[in-house]
Amino acid sequence: ITNVGNFGSTISDTSPHSASQIFISEDGVYNTRARVLGGGSAINAGFYSHAEPEFVRDAGWDEDLVRRSYDWVESKVAFEPQVKQWQSAVRDALVEIGVLPYNGFTYNHVDGTKIGGTIFDDQGHRHTAADLLEYANPLTVKVYLHATVSRILFTNKGTRRQWPKPRAYGVVFEDALGIRKRAFLRPNPQNEVILTAGALGSPQLMMLSGIGPALHLKSHGIHVVLDQPNVGQGMADNPMNLLYVPSPVPVEISLIQVVGIPSNQNTYIETASGLSFAYSWAQGFARDYVTFFNQSGKPSSLTAETMARAIDTVHAYAANTSLKGGVILEKVRGPLSSGDLKLRSRSPRDNPAVTFNYFKDPQDLRGCVEGMRSIINLINAPSFARLRYAHLPVQALVDLMLNLPVNLRPRHVSSSISLEQFCIDTVMTIWHYHGGCQVGKVVDQDYRVVGVDGLRVIDGSTFLKSPGTNPQATVMMLGRYMGTRILQGRPPVNWRRLQGRFPASWRRRPWLSHIPRKNMQGGEKIKP
């Protein structure tokens, strides 16, 4: 488990057994997906904030149940952060440049400047979504670690009158030794497979299971269960751009705590501090550039000379042990730009090909420019003066970012003087992926996959936009919310009445004894 101090080194760890899985989007931007119990909450910057009220209303959620579900999550994983000098200076500067009102500490998403929640406790230790398993009944819940699901199993369409559509009845997975196994639902029509693999994993697993664009699936030799062209569509990631600000005085190591939400802008302002955070991040980019380049499969416009300058820049900061500082970033809300996800192979361990189309919509680019102007104003604000070098102009900070290999995108001469081009050239991920299995397109309002039975998707892949300043609180809340809704919607089971609805063979062996099933190791049929 990571803590505040080693966040940067953890998320940039590219080793084979790390909690982070590195991949390159088709946009040429470095990305990370979590491969650990707890998902993104086990490796992220820990900011905890509710969705905005209009997001809840647009989703059609019960507001009282949403509030109670947030409370359920927060009793285990959310805390009020200790705000020290760097975060305080940014807070005061935001208020000074007019990001008002000041709202103090709150989980709510409100315009102005606020202190948000964190999943790090007062000792700096991380708490994750895995902590919510403390609520679970150990007699009825099993957690398989080091298990990788390769596909969901479906019945054949129209094999029985009761099931006119394909129905999910189990999954195929590999254990830690690579042995393939199957898990089946018990014979109850209320039982379901619930997919929560995230905005990248859920659409990928849907396609591997035969639900997706038919031509694309056939090109990979995948049997089509349901031709659903919307699977993998609407993929979006809120673009992030930032400036690194060296400080003449030591500052605390802090992750995201303060956030500015200007009411008249399409952007949010956030900050983090501490040399170990910024340096380990930049060092990871420089160290693994060749690996990233080879993974992308695309030519890079970053020349050998550019990379040499970048590495020299990183090493120069490392040599100056007295140098401190932090990053001030902006995130475009929404966003309006989106792309798609496609399979590269039939292996669930291979990253899919993902395109986010950063700044495809001009409004997103305008939002980035507004955010960068706010950052510049913040750095120049009197409240922040004691934490920056007076002789170091903002232009030098802009040039510094252009010298760092933060992505594989080309650098243009104009990016030093044009905020529009700077945004395009230095865009980074903020890890707020969403889309791919969106409500109204792939799943219904109850998160059931349209066109099949017995399958729901409940995670960020269903979102049309990213909620609040950070989606993790809402993703965790949604799990509790939908779990409660599912249980509330289940009538009492009359097992005697159900007895006659299933053939005797179904009662002897879970689900589909009339469909031949193969032993995943020996290749022989299993007799019912």
Side-chain angles (χ1 to χ4, degrees), residues 10 55 67 109 237 502:
T10 298
F55 186 97
R67 177 187 55 79
H109 184 90
D237 177 30
F502 295 94

Side-chain angles (χ1 to χ4, degrees), residues 312-332:
D312 288 344
T313 299
V314 173
H315 288 167
Y317 280 112
N320 188 349
T321 56
S322 64
L323 183 65
K324 305 295 179 184
V327 295
I328 305 175
L329 63 92
E330 63 81 29
K331 162 192 167 178
V332 174

Side-chain angles (χ1 to χ4, degrees), residues 19-35:
S20 303
Q21 182 172 344
I22 307 297
F23 74 101
I24 310 278
S25 76
E26 300 302 288
D27 314 275
V29 174
Y30 308 139
N31 294 261
T32 308
R33 59 191 300 195
R35 51 179 177 188

Side-chain angles (χ1 to χ4, degrees), residues 83-97 113 115 247 249 251-252 258 271 328 378-379 381-388:
V83 180
K84 299 181 180 178
Q85 65 169 341
W86 177 276
Q87 295 282 339
S88 296
V90 171
R91 175 199 62 198
D92 296 343
L94 281 167
V95 172
E96 190 172 342
I97 67 174
T113 298
I115 308 298
S247 174
V249 299
V251 297
E252 74 274 13
V258 171
T271 188
I328 305 175
L378 188 159
I379 293 172
S383 297
F384 194 73
R386 70 184 188 277
L387 294 183
R388 61 165 297 197

